[in-house]
Amino acid sequence: MKYTVVLPAAGSGKRMKADRNKLLLELSGKPIFIYTLEVFDRDPDCEGMWLAVKEDERELIEKYVEHYGIKKVKGYAAGGAERQDSVRAGLEMARQSEVVLVHDAARPFISPAVIRELVERANESGAAIAGVPVKDTIKKVREGVITETVDRAELWMIQTPQAFRYKLLMEAAQRAQADGFLGTDEAMLVERTGHPVQIVESTYENVKMTTPDDLIYGKAILESRLQEE
């Protein structure tokens, strides 16, 4: 099943304690976002990628894309003030898609098998997102005091990719914009329309590179994969 993917890539380096976009930081000598693009570039079912970027970073990102031989980037949308704005701008450019994925460019370790299942589920049901079951004990805290231990049996940590039929996601995004609603992910926009969203179990390696600790974990993942080859 063919698909296209929108990648919001207009982030900052604030939580990474970096002086530039965290996606431009390197893991083992290569920018983080290039690892992400390579996953989709190698996938024969991916028909194209649309990146939402900061205008002042576009030229540099284009140079990296060319340097590393990424072939499936079809265009660049202007990144917005919020992630939701960036994704909507990317969707506007991907109008010919039947199934579209939204994926954090800062998640370089997504599994191709998970991508395939997401695309299949989205094609069948309209919406499917990646996630993993919560492993830790979760507690609610108010003013420094535990108020409740939450049953984790039904709790999942949500990741990307998030896959949708294009029309469903675009209509949800437009409704959110009209209502002035700001969601934390694309699934939240679809959920508020009443359409069910399925979950596909991903891997714990599919971590988002957000803090300095994540870079350490990312390097360990790369070293482990090299040893397996």
Side-chain angles (χ1 to χ4, degrees), residues 169-214:
L169 179 56
M170 193 60 179
E171 288 177 352
Q174 290 171 340
R175 181 182 297 186
Q177 182 184 25
D179 295 344
F181 177 83
L182 188 63
T184 54
D185 67 355
E186 285 62 55
M188 194 172 181
L189 307 187
V190 172
E191 289 164 30
R192 68 191 294 267
T193 72
H195 192 99
V197 179
Q198 295 189 8
I199 189 82
V200 169
E201 186 164 354
S202 181
T203 70
Y204 292 94
E205 284 190 353
N206 185 29
V207 64
K208 187 176 182 180
M209 299 289 105
T210 304
T211 68
D213 289 344
D214 295 326

Side-chain angles (χ1 to χ4, degrees), residues 54-191:
K54 293 178 180 176
E55 198 58 44
D56 61 354
E57 292 177 344
R58 175 170 173 167
E59 184 178 352
L60 178 59
I61 287 174
E62 286 180 331
K63 287 180 179 178
Y64 277 129
V65 166
E66 181 179 1
H67 176 76
Y68 287 98
I70 306 298
K71 305 300 184 186
K72 292 184 180 179
V73 173
K74 301 299 185 184
Y76 299 86
E82 301 289 346
R83 181 181 184 279
Q84 186 170 309
D85 301 323
S86 298
V87 170
R88 191 175 63 253
L91 289 174
E92 291 284 359
M93 302 183 74
R95 286 188 172 275
Q96 301 304 313
S97 309
E98 289 190 23
V99 173
V100 62
L101 273 59
V102 178
H103 184 62
D104 298 322
R107 290 186 189 270
F109 303 117
I110 180 58
S111 159
V114 172
I115 293 173
R116 284 193 296 273
E117 186 170 355
L118 285 166
V119 173
E120 290 174 5
R121 295 270 201 96
N123 183 53
E124 294 169 359
S125 69
I129 66 175
V132 289
V134 168
K135 294 190 290 184
D136 297 331
T137 296
I138 304 296
K139 297 182 183 288
K140 287 185 178 180
V141 177
R142 183 180 297 116
E143 297 179 354
V145 177
I146 294 169
T147 60
E148 181 184 354
T149 299
V150 181
D151 182 3
R152 67 186 177 194
E154 297 182 347
L155 297 180
W156 287 64
M157 296 186 294
I158 299 307
Q159 305 174 346
T160 66
Q162 300 193 356
F164 308 89
R165 290 195 196 117
Y166 179 86
K167 184 178 178 181
L168 173 65
L169 179 56
M170 193 60 179
E171 288 177 352
Q174 290 171 340
R175 181 182 297 186
Q177 182 184 25
D179 295 344
F181 177 83
L182 188 63
T184 54
D185 67 355
E186 285 62 55
M188 194 172 181
L189 307 187
V190 172
E191 289 164 30

Side-chain angles (χ1 to χ4, degrees), residues 16 20 22-36 38 68 105-109 205 207-223 225-226:
M16 190 64 80
R20 60 190 185 280
K22 63 192 174 188
L23 299 177
L24 302 177
L25 299 177
E26 293 188 352
L27 270 178
S28 300
K30 187 187 297 185
I32 290 170
F33 82 101
I34 292 296
Y35 289 102
T36 308
E38 286 176 338
Y68 287 98
R107 290 186 189 270
F109 303 117
E205 284 190 353
V207 64
K208 187 176 182 180
M209 299 289 105
T210 304
T211 68
D213 289 344
D214 295 326
L215 290 177
I216 296 172
Y217 185 39
K219 289 176 183 177
I221 292 172
L222 287 175
E223 290 174 1
R225 291 183 175 186
L226 285 173

